[in-house]
Amino acid sequence: MSEQTFSATLAGHIIQSMEVPLLQNGFAFLQAEAMQSVLESYGLLGWDTFAASWNELGVDRYMADGGRYRRRRYATFSLTEGESTRKPHQPHYQSRDYNTLNGGIERWFKPVLPTIGEHPALMAILRLAYQVATDMTPPERRPNAWHTEIHQFRIEARPDTEGCPTPEGLHRDGVDWVFVVMIRRENVARGETSIHDLGHTQVGSFTLTNPMDTAVVNDNRVYHGVTPVHPVDPNKPAYRDVLVVTLRHE
């Protein structure tokens, strides 16, 4: 067996192992080592330059709680088999049914930089997201294309201000699938993800700790939320960087 064939086979086994809990519980947690193996089979390169782009985000000025602890960039894509096509820049919109804090308005965020929008690391993540979403959707319900939104988030924590990864609280996003990929944690404590069923009973929890730790959520079946983060050393910068990818029928 060639090295390339072995890598593809290993990636297939890992994806299958992730899809079992998705089917049973509506969510899956994939640790960094396994995620890296899968992404490499999809063409992952240049992770360091990809992660460094989180240093170039803009302040989220739409926070209804008045906070200035969140930085972000945003882009949309159309995903089909073998192709990821970036769409013209557009606002992000969520109904207040799904986002009671910041929903109900068009939010225009800074666009993802062109070099990041076509970066091999992002393309690998989008290929994986397409594969999982398509595999987990019954053939009769699979769309011709997935409308895909990507969000680069940095949540900053200060000695006098906690950073809230999900300031709207426990929520659903109003999409079909949500992928949350850890990029970097710097000098922060907490940030635990909890998963709840549609009756709001907790069914799981974990913490994205290492770069490439990944959560996959069936947004039609479960709610998710993340606890606030706090500085470990109050005298040093503290932040939590993640990539959020959502897919819904186009």
Side-chain angles (χ1 to χ4, degrees):
M1 181 183 296
S2 69
E3 183 176 345
Q4 184 176 9
T5 301
F6 175 78
S7 177
T9 301
L10 176 61
H13 287 318
I14 293 171
I15 292 173
Q16 288 176 2
S17 71
M18 176 171 53
E19 291 176 348
V20 170
L22 273 174
L23 182 64
Q24 294 176 342
N25 306 315
F27 75 96
F29 170 44
L30 193 63
Q31 293 185 317
E33 184 177 2
M35 182 66 170
Q36 183 174 347
S37 295
V38 174
L39 293 182
E40 286 175 348
S41 76
Y42 282 109
L44 171 68
L45 292 170
W47 178 264
D48 288 346
T49 59
F50 181 62
S53 70
W54 266 254
N55 295 322
E56 302 178 73
L57 308 186
V59 174
D60 183 344
R61 301 187 182 278
Y62 290 94
M63 298 297 296
D65 63 1
R68 290 292 182 266
Y69 52 80
R70 182 158 75 178
R71 297 179 181 272
R72 68 194 296 177
R73 285 185 183 268
Y74 172 75
T76 58
F77 289 79
S78 177
L79 299 189
T80 57
E81 186 172 4
E83 188 170 4
S84 302
T85 304
R86 186 166 181 174
K87 297 183 177 184
H89 194 52
Q90 57 188 268
H92 177 50
Y93 180 85
Q94 287 177 295
S95 163
R96 289 187 64 85
D97 293 336
Y98 291 101
N99 190 330
T100 57
L101 178 66
N102 297 317
I105 61 170
E106 292 186 345
R107 290 180 283 166
W108 286 92
F109 301 115
K110 285 188 173 183
V112 170
L113 295 170
T115 53
I116 300 306
E118 57 188 28
H119 196 285
L122 178 63
M123 293 299 101
I125 292 168
L126 293 183
R127 291 184 193 109
L128 172 62
Y130 172 86
Q131 186 67 56
V132 172
T134 301
D135 285 353
M136 297 300 296
T137 302
E140 67 275 11
R141 294 187 57 244
R142 289 174 187 167
N144 293 326
W146 292 100
H147 174 74
T148 302
E149 302 179 41
I150 71 166
H151 308 257
Q152 291 179 281
F153 283 115
R154 169 167 288 182
I155 301 299
E156 298 174 330
R158 299 179 177 88
D160 59 346
T161 307
E162 63 184 13
C164 298
T166 55
E168 64 272 45
L170 192 66
H171 68 285
R172 292 159 62 205
D173 287 326
V175 296
D176 292 302
W177 300 97
V178 181
F179 294 74
V180 184
V181 183
M182 173 55 62
I183 304 298
R184 183 179 181 184
R185 289 171 62 102
E186 181 67 27
N187 187 39
V188 292
R190 301 188 69 202
E192 180 184 55
T193 298
S194 64
I195 307 293
H196 297 244
D197 65 19
L198 296 182
H200 291 266
T201 298
Q202 184 169 323
V203 294
S205 65
F206 49 84
T207 300
L208 300 177
T209 302
N210 300 308
M212 296 191 220
D213 277 356
T214 298
V216 185
V217 174
N218 182 336
D219 197 57
N220 294 302
R221 290 183 54 191
V222 295
Y223 292 85
H224 63 280
V226 183
T227 59
V229 292
H230 303 271
V232 175
D233 184 339
N235 298 310
K236 295 180 179 180
Y239 52 86
R240 178 183 186 266
D241 292 349
V242 299
L243 174 73
V244 174
V245 179
T246 67
L247 289 80
R248 63 174 171 81
H249 284 59
E250 191 167 84

